[in-house]
Amino acid sequence: GIVMPHIAAVCTVDQIATADNTPTVVNWNSLTSGSGWTLNAPGSATASVPGIYTIRYSLQFVNSANAIHYVSTWLRVNGSDVANSATQFSIKARKSSSPGEESYLSGYSEATFEVDEGDEVELYWATDQAGDPSVPTDGVYLWHDDAITSPYARPVVPSAIGSITFVSASV
């Protein structure tokens, strides 16, 4: 069979924004598949095959605050923002101040972009109110959940799932 350049990765821990309204790189801690790309710790991938690619990603947002909050995501190549790659999400306010009443949103997006050999690709996010469940500070963060066996079996819910797939040679 033909093996096309691609990479797929996940992050299996919570991710906290650096601060309110501050670009924060999405981290990836587990490579699930890859050829023609190198996953760099903590949040970038380097292309070894030039071409046109599509990135697809799903980020598991949680809002632990009593107000609606907003998140933007976008792509950077070699530290520069990729034009027309941003997506805006609004995450509803939590239902109540009781534990477990947070609002969840699985934010999906994709973008097509071009890279040269050696280019470094990163996915960024920013929110108007950064939350941190370990402090606790109410706001938005990327949430994960461990696998469960009861009341039904389910695998891990990653805070981030992403893939970059080859579309075409550069024109």
Side-chain angles (χ1 to χ4, degrees):
I2 298 173
V3 177
M4 303 297 277
H6 69 282
I7 190 169
V10 299
C11 185
T12 56
V13 297
D14 291 347
Q15 299 188 51
I16 310 305
T18 306
D20 296 352
N21 300 307
T22 303
T24 303
V25 69
V26 174
N27 291 318
W28 310 96
N29 66 2
S30 181
L31 179 68
T32 58
S33 175
S35 173
W37 286 83
T38 302
L39 183 62
N40 310 310
S44 69
T46 302
S48 59
V49 178
I52 299 170
Y53 289 83
T54 295
I55 184 171
R56 292 176 180 89
Y57 59 89
S58 176
L59 304 176
Q60 186 67 51
F61 298 111
V62 64
N63 183 3
S64 60
N66 290 329
I68 191 171
H69 288 290
Y70 302 92
V71 176
S72 291
T73 62
W74 68 96
L75 192 60
R76 284 187 177 167
V77 174
N78 297 328
S80 297
D81 295 341
V82 174
N84 304 312
S85 69
T87 301
Q88 179 83 14
F89 300 99
S90 59
I91 294 94
K92 294 190 297 188
R94 68 182 177 193
K95 294 178 186 178
S96 74
S97 59
S98 300
E101 295 294 315
E102 297 87 356
S103 289
Y104 296 87
L105 175 75
S106 182
Y108 172 86
S109 192
E110 63 181 68
T112 300
F113 60 101
E114 188 170 358
V115 294
D116 291 322
E117 182 179 353
D119 282 353
E120 185 176 65
V121 177
E122 297 171 299
L123 181 63
Y124 274 81
W125 70 292
T127 180
D128 63 329
Q129 184 168 332
D132 186 343
S134 66
V135 175
T137 303
D138 287 340
V140 176
Y141 59 96
L142 294 175
W143 172 82
H144 92 287
D145 197 21
D146 294 330
I148 61 171
T149 57
S150 177
Y152 56 88
R154 185 208 69 210
V156 169
V157 176
S159 61
I161 301 171
S163 65
I164 300 173
T165 55
F166 184 79
V167 174
S168 171
S170 299
V171 181

